[in-house]
Amino acid sequence: MIIKRISCKVKEQQKENFYQHQKQWKSLCTVKGFIGQIGGWNTKERLTACIYTFWESLADYQTFMEDHHDQIFVNSGQENTYESINVCLYRQRFMIAGEVAYFVHKSQYIRVASAEVKEDRIHHFVDMQQTVWNVGMQKSEGMLAGMFANSQKQQNEFLVLSGWESETHHQNYVEQTLPDLLKIAKPKHDVHVLTGEQFKVEDAWRVCP
């Protein structure tokens, strides 16, 4: 599976227009290989839109880009509503819990972690994700589904996506579970740079085939 991560810096006066135009991507649901799309506004950067789309394969995604993307983009009218856009592709390594379709259909709050891992610590980092983080997150109430993915461009860049029933459930995880997992996994030993984003899901931007 391919995960496309899109981050748009939106102009203040165009935020409502961007929101409305983003709804025009509903036509994705008919494209071959499309699994789903989810998005919302970054909780810490109110003018940054976070959008994630999921594809069955790289070939399906490339066909979409060649045959469908430009027309949908033009029809959406979004071109003049943002100041910058950043796009990254990731390939799923494994699921943390649940299924991708469930993630797209049911998640109300999304937590994202992006890690640039030291080359000699990649194996340990992935092992900690499988044996420590996956287990801890699976046990957390309100954690619906999640996935672990690798950048298409950099072998040492990883993405962790988790979907939650609510922001409250996620906050309980942060307060009650996360500190213990950090003590066991010790990610600072593995990671050069760790960034992330969180957002409440905009139902109007949710696209399900």
Side-chain angles (χ1 to χ4, degrees):
M1 182 183 71
I2 295 296
I3 302 169
K4 183 178 185 178
R5 180 186 191 183
I6 307 164
S7 179
C8 290
K9 304 288 186 181
V10 180
K11 302 172 184 178
E12 176 74 55
Q13 66 272 27
Q14 292 287 352
K15 187 174 182 180
E16 179 59 27
N17 285 337
F18 182 94
Y19 172 86
Q20 295 297 333
H21 293 319
Q22 183 60 35
K23 296 192 293 186
Q24 303 305 311
W25 290 87
K26 294 287 186 182
S27 54
L28 278 169
C29 67
T30 62
V31 178
K32 179 182 179 296
F34 174 74
I35 298 173
Q37 177 172 281
I38 200 166
W41 298 103
N42 190 312
T43 57
K44 292 185 178 180
E45 299 178 22
R46 55 179 295 272
L47 294 178
T48 298
C50 312
I51 301 158
Y52 290 81
T53 60
F54 306 91
W55 298 86
E56 290 182 5
S57 70
L58 183 60
D60 286 327
Y61 170 72
Q62 291 172 334
T63 298
F64 157 72
M65 291 299 296
E66 293 169 2
D67 297 345
H68 304 286
H69 175 273
D70 290 354
Q71 189 59 54
I72 297 176
F73 180 68
V74 170
N75 291 343
S76 76
Q78 272 186 310
E79 185 174 7
N80 297 315
T81 63
Y82 56 81
E83 296 179 313
S84 65
I85 183 170
N86 182 263
V87 177
C88 301
L89 293 182
Y90 298 83
R91 184 181 297 276
Q92 178 198 356
R93 290 280 294 265
F94 50 78
M95 293 300 296
I96 296 171
E99 299 177 356
V100 180
Y102 195 61
F103 177 92
V104 174
H105 279 263
K106 298 295 183 180
S107 297
Q108 297 299 322
Y109 194 79
I110 305 297
R111 177 189 178 95
V112 184
S114 179
E116 184 180 323
V117 181
K118 300 171 185 176
E119 295 285 351
D120 61 341
R121 301 289 292 183
I122 290 176
H123 178 77
H124 183 265
F125 179 80
V126 174
D127 183 59
M128 287 297 98
Q129 181 64 50
Q130 291 178 305
T131 60
V132 177
W133 291 104
N134 285 15
V135 175
M137 295 172 77
Q138 288 165 7
K139 292 179 179 178
S140 299
E141 183 179 1
M143 196 279 193
L144 299 174
M147 59 209 77
F148 181 78
N150 211 163
S151 168
Q152 283 285 98
K153 287 187 175 181
Q154 293 182 236
Q155 67 168 1
N156 69 325
E157 183 181 333
F158 297 88
L159 187 73
V160 182
L161 271 170
S162 58
W164 300 81
E165 285 184 26
S166 69
E167 184 176 2
T168 299
H169 283 98
H170 172 261
Q171 188 58 35
N172 289 340
Y173 159 77
V174 170
E175 295 172 0
Q176 300 169 14
T177 305
L178 181 61
D180 289 337
L181 298 181
L182 287 170
K183 289 178 184 177
I184 299 170
K186 297 180 175 63
K188 289 183 179 180
H189 293 172
D190 298 335
V191 176
H192 279 304
V193 181
L194 182 64
T195 59
E197 60 193 14
Q198 300 173 27
F199 59 89
K200 291 182 179 179
V201 175
E202 293 284 354
D203 280 325
W205 293 0
R206 199 190 303 264
V207 183
C208 307

